[in-house]
Amino acid sequence: GVVGALTGFHPFIITALGTDVLISPQRSRLYRMLIRFALRRADWVTAMADHMRDAIIGLGITPGKVQTVIFGIDPKIFNRKERFVPQKKFVVTSTRNFEPVYNIPLLIDALRMAAPKIPGLEVNLVGAGTQREMLEGLVKSSSLENVVRFHGKVPQPQIADTLRGSHLFVSTSLSDGNNVSLNEAMACGAISIATDIPANRQWISEGVNGFLVPVDRPDILAGKILYVYEHYRQLERRSMELNDKLISQYALWEENMSVVENKYRELSRKK
């Protein structure tokens, strides 16, 4: 974005993704100056959620040129077709990468507490990152080696298959723009537990299609995992009904990107 601003080229568009406007400007005065410089010179700025739009405007950017455009999901890949959850297992999946912002140790700590009470527990950790070795050590020290499987980085169709076979999706991130991983899980029919941050509040209705938990309370997360295990059949139907409605209204990639395409055409004509 800064390089684009320095070129002086127009039309110039910036898409903010999350940490770039939610966290980094608060940690570094220099970064805050640079991102404000870039954003002010853009003709249009897109944010992946309303709380990001508010953060961008808070940096002194004209509200009229900042628009929320959710990335969304591809329903041809992420859907409930051929969904099948095993009857004698309880499958929990996380598809967040192994970096500090995604807070995976919170999930592992919660699983350590919940696992003795869930026969047939199976956990998929799908992702990659600098913390993988540390997380593998934490799984081992928590005696969860026979429960947790590290999948590494896998293609989208494989992620979708894993989610279709999961009872529960868990996202423990400390910060997010829009949680596309959560949208993917919703589209595939999983009940969701996510941290109580703005990115997740827009998608989860407490007790209906999932639950929100603090970013630093593994005991509360463990309790919610147990609750979903014990009440899965009661939660399943109403969760899927709400998820289908939310995804179709707000989180379809092709429809949302048509907004971007139309804006590109509009700005190009003004050049």
Side-chain angles (χ1 to χ4, degrees), residues 115-224:
K117 301 175 183 177
I118 305 178
L121 177 64
E122 184 177 288
V123 180
N124 300 303
L125 296 184
V126 181
T130 58
Q131 290 194 321
R132 175 161 179 164
E133 186 175 344
M134 180 273 286
L135 294 172
E136 288 175 335
L138 188 56
V139 165
K140 186 175 182 180
S141 66
S142 301
S143 301
L144 293 169
E145 307 101 302
N146 296 326
V147 172
V148 177
R149 179 185 174 193
F150 287 84
H151 291 257
K153 195 173 182 66
V154 301
Q156 283 192 334
Q158 189 174 334
I159 292 174
D161 285 341
T162 301
L163 290 169
R164 277 190 285 269
S166 300
H167 298 82
L168 177 64
F169 169 80
V170 181
S171 175
T172 50
S173 58
L174 299 170
S175 176
D176 262 308
N178 177 57
N179 192 341
V180 177
S181 296
L182 173 58
N183 295 158
E184 292 170 350
M186 292 165 63
C188 291
I191 296 168
S192 300
I193 300 176
T195 40
D196 189 9
I197 58 176
N200 298 327
R201 291 178 202 138
Q202 62 186 334
W203 299 110
I204 293 180
S205 293
E206 188 74 13
V208 181
N209 64 337
F211 300 91
L212 296 167
V213 298
V215 299
D216 57 356
R217 292 288 302 274
D219 56 323
I220 294 178
L221 175 55
K224 294 301 183 184

Side-chain angles (χ1 to χ4, degrees), residues 56-155:
I56 292 167
I57 293 170
L59 290 169
I61 310 307
T62 304
K65 71 175 184 180
V66 186
Q67 185 172 351
T68 298
V69 182
I70 297 169
F71 276 11
I73 58 101
D74 182 349
K76 292 187 291 293
I77 297 174
F78 295 97
N79 55 62
R80 289 197 280 113
K81 297 174 184 175
E82 299 180 17
R83 176 171 171 80
F84 175 79
V85 289
Q87 298 297 312
K88 295 184 179 181
K89 293 182 179 180
F90 183 70
V91 183
V92 179
T93 294
S94 167
T95 58
R96 312 314 304 269
N97 279 324
F98 308 144
E99 299 294 347
V101 71
Y102 297 115
N103 198 23
I104 305 297
L106 176 70
L107 174 57
I108 295 173
D109 285 347
L111 291 168
R112 175 179 54 79
M113 299 176 190
K117 301 175 183 177
I118 305 178
L121 177 64
E122 184 177 288
V123 180
N124 300 303
L125 296 184
V126 181
T130 58
Q131 290 194 321
R132 175 161 179 164
E133 186 175 344
M134 180 273 286
L135 294 172
E136 288 175 335
L138 188 56
V139 165
K140 186 175 182 180
S141 66
S142 301
S143 301
L144 293 169
E145 307 101 302
N146 296 326
V147 172
V148 177
R149 179 185 174 193
F150 287 84
H151 291 257
K153 195 173 182 66
V154 301

Side-chain angles (χ1 to χ4, degrees), residues 6-32:
L6 287 170
T7 67
F9 184 88
H10 291 278
F12 173 44
I13 297 168
I14 291 180
T15 293
L17 299 178
T19 300
D20 47 1
V21 296
L22 295 175
I23 295 178
S24 297
Q26 314 307 321
R27 292 181 174 174
S28 167
R29 184 178 177 184
L30 175 60
Y31 189 94
R32 184 180 179 87

